[in-house]
């Protein structure tokens, strides 16, 4: 069969094929950038209309007592199964960068007497900026190390390590349970950035003994641009969790207006400021798409999409420099290096095939299995095969 016939057959047999109809996507659009910004579920617009017209306009300030104030913990509990966490350990609030700062400072405060913080040297730049700031605040030294080398260099000097579960450039998937175990063996705490894996890769934070983790919600969770991030704090650390941004929303009695700060019970003390209600409840609506599907199903399809993409590239674009592992040690994306990557992606986007470009020369294609089709990855490979460069 031709690749077109194979793609058509795979799409026809896809058990998740019906999920695309739950997203507001043009039928002819090949959207391969869900690893940067997820597509909008159709349920979001209706939910926001209700929030604005009925809750905000209709109930006004009374809505804070009718579910708004509790939203960070409630929505966090909806994310918890997607990261393998029991209820009461995930809270939705603030941005990813803010939560990385809170988690890293809290981690070194939980593990005093150790002067060093290990940072994934391949990390998304913002994590590195935040880690530098946290180190200046706490008097720690930063040591940048590739995740593959962390198990060999972690020592009694290491307070905590900040690691990405999936490399944002290459799509390489790191071994979260094994690396967490290695860090713990040296007495260090594990802080994981899950931005490129939540909603894409099955994980079991509780079972792996992860200490703290952060993740964004606007990629594979489809929460929308600027949707609030989440913070996971293992139950064993919550009573001692001492974050540097002790705002009123994390207070034990936030409306008591007392002068002294007292952290709230459980995961609530990880909150800082007033919840972002409109974006929070947009995310809440977006999570409805997970009610009848598992991360394991999404992962199985995304791996199959990646395998088919690689087959298409091998046949149509022989010699393409694929940065992403060809085996399944990858997240739900495929990255290709080309010297003309910026011009290529601009042309692809113009033709209705949307991926993204990362300087200086990387094309990234997100395989968000809830709405990406086999025909979409074939279209991408076909475009690359015909590009004059």
């Amino acid at each position: 069969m031709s690749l077109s016939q194979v793609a058509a057959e795979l799409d026809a047999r896809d058990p998740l094929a019906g999920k695309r109809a739950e997203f507001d996507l043009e039928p002819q659009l090949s959207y391969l950038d869900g690893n940067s910004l997820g597509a909008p579920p159709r349920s979001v617009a209706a939910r926001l209309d209700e929030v604005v017209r009925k809750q905000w306009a209709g109930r006004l300030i009374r809505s804070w007592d009718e579910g708004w104030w509790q939203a960070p913990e409630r929505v966090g509990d909806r994310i918890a199964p997607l990261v393998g966490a029991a209820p009461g350990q995930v809270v939705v609030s603030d941005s990813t960068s803010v939560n990385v700062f809170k988690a890293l400072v809290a981690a070194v405060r939980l593990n005093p007497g150790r002067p060093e913080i290990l940072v994934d040297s391949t990390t998304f730049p913002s994590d590195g900026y935040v880690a530098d700031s946290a180190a200046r605040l706490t008097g720690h030294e930063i040591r940048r190390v590739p995740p593959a080398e962390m198990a060999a260099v972690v020592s009694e000097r290491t307070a905590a390590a900040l690691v990405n579960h999936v490399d944002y450039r290459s799509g390489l998937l790191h071994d979260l349970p094994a690396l967490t175990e290695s860090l713990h063996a040296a007495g260090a705490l594990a802080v994981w950035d899950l931005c490129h894996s939540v909603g894409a890769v099955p994980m079991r934070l509780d079972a792996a003994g992860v200490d703290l983790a952060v993740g964004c919600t606007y990629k594979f969770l489809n929460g929308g641009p600027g949707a609030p991030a989440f913070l996971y704090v293992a139950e064993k650390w919550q009573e001692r969790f001492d974050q540097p941004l002790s705002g009123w929303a994390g207070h034990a009695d936030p409306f008591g207006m007392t002068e002294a700060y007292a952290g709230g019970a459980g995961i609530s003390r990880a909150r800082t400021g007033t919840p972002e209600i409109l974006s929070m409840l947009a995310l809440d609506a977006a999570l409805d798409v997970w009610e009848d599907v598992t991360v394991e199903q999404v992962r199985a399809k995304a791996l199959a999409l990646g395998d088919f993409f690689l087959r298409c590239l091998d046949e149509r674009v022989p010699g393409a420099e694929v940065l992403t592992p060809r085996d399944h040690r990858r997240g739900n994306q495929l990255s290709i290096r080309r010297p003309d990557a910026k011009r290529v992606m601009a042309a692809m986007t113009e033709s209705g095939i949307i991926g993204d470009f990362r300087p200086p020369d990387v094309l990234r294609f997100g395989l968000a299995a809830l709405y990406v089709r086999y025909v979409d990855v074939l279209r991408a490979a076909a475009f690359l095969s015909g590009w004059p460069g």
Side-chain angles (χ1 to χ4, degrees):
M1 289 192 295
S2 68
L3 288 175
S4 295
Q5 291 172 319
V6 173
E9 181 175 321
L10 290 170
D11 280 327
R13 293 192 282 110
D14 175 17
L16 297 182
K19 296 298 290 185
R20 184 179 170 100
E22 297 180 28
F23 290 83
D24 194 3
L25 285 169
E26 298 174 9
Q28 299 307 312
L29 182 68
S30 293
Y31 188 61
L32 299 167
D33 203 11
N35 54 318
S36 289
L37 176 65
R42 294 185 183 277
S43 58
V44 172
R47 184 76 62 85
L48 279 178
D49 185 70
E50 176 189 351
V51 172
V52 172
R53 295 179 183 275
K54 294 183 179 180
Q55 297 180 24
W56 183 9
R59 299 300 295 163
L60 294 168
I61 200 168
R62 291 171 291 185
S63 290
W64 283 112
D65 296 322
E66 297 169 356
W68 283 4
W69 188 257
Q70 297 77 23
E73 290 89 354
R74 179 174 58 79
V75 180
D77 279 344
R78 297 193 71 188
I79 293 173
L82 302 178
V83 297
Q89 297 178 105
V90 178
V91 67
V92 176
S93 69
D94 306 311
S95 67
T96 302
S97 295
V98 170
N99 282 328
V100 168
F101 183 76
K102 292 192 292 187
L104 200 52
V105 173
V108 300
R109 288 176 173 175
L110 287 166
N111 205 9
R114 291 168 170 251
E116 177 184 80
I117 298 172
L118 298 183
V119 175
D120 176 353
S121 61
T122 62
T123 190
F124 189 73
S126 182
D127 282 15
Y129 308 154
V130 170
D132 287 340
S133 179
R136 289 196 302 272
L137 176 72
T138 59
H140 284 73
E141 305 165 8
I142 291 289
R143 186 176 181 186
R144 285 173 166 74
V145 183
E149 299 176 15
M150 280 191 177
V153 303
V154 64
S155 71
E156 69 281 353
R157 289 174 46 81
T158 309
L162 174 61
V163 198
N164 283 256
H165 195 192
V166 172
D167 186 298
Y168 83 99
R169 288 188 189 88
S170 70
L172 173 65
L173 174 68
H174 299 298
D175 191 334
L176 181 149
L179 185 47
T180 299
E181 183 177 7
S182 296
L183 293 170
H184 286 174
L189 271 62
V191 181
W192 285 89
D193 182 329
L194 310 176
C195 285
H196 286 271
S197 58
V198 61
V201 179
M203 65 190 84
R204 296 172 178 81
L205 299 187
D206 286 354
V210 169
D211 302 292
L212 302 108
V214 300
C216 69
T217 63
Y218 50 78
K219 299 182 189 296
F220 292 108
L221 296 186
N222 311 297
F230 67 87
L231 173 59
Y232 164 89
V233 181
E235 184 178 12
K236 66 180 179 180
W237 296 123
Q238 288 179 9
E239 188 175 342
R240 294 173 52 201
F241 181 80
D242 180 16
Q243 61 143 306
L245 300 176
S246 48
W248 81 301
H251 199 286
D253 183 14
F255 296 96
M257 304 301 169
T258 59
E259 185 174 325
Y261 180 81
I267 194 65
S268 69
R269 69 173 54 200
R271 293 171 58 168
T272 298
T274 304
E276 311 91 329
I277 291 301
L278 295 182
S279 53
M280 178 87 63
L281 298 186
L283 167 63
D284 190 26
L287 291 172
D288 289 349
V289 300
W290 292 95
E291 290 183 354
D292 60 351
V293 67
T294 66
V295 182
E296 287 74 17
Q297 289 174 296
V298 165
R299 176 65 168 162
K301 180 183 172 183
L303 289 173
L305 282 166
D307 291 342
F308 182 63
F309 200 172
L310 290 167
R311 175 181 171 183
C312 293
L313 290 171
D314 290 342
E315 292 191 24
R316 295 290 190 92
V317 198
E321 186 180 356
V322 179
L323 300 180
T324 309
R326 285 179 170 266
D327 59 21
H328 289 177
R329 294 177 300 114
R330 62 176 186 253
N332 291 2
Q333 75 180 63
L334 215 64
S335 298
I336 301 168
R337 175 175 286 139
R338 292 178 61 121
D340 55 357
K342 186 174 183 178
R343 292 189 299 116
V344 171
M345 186 52 67
M348 291 185 80
T349 299
E350 188 68 23
S351 71
I353 307 168
I354 302 177
D356 77 359
F357 161 72
R358 283 291 177 265
D361 55 6
V362 176
L363 298 169
R364 296 193 314 173
F365 300 96
L367 306 178
L370 292 177
Y371 50 80
V372 171
R373 303 162 297 193
Y374 291 90
V375 69
D376 295 323
V377 300
L378 174 56
R379 284 187 69 199
F383 186 96
L384 293 174
S385 71
W387 179 254

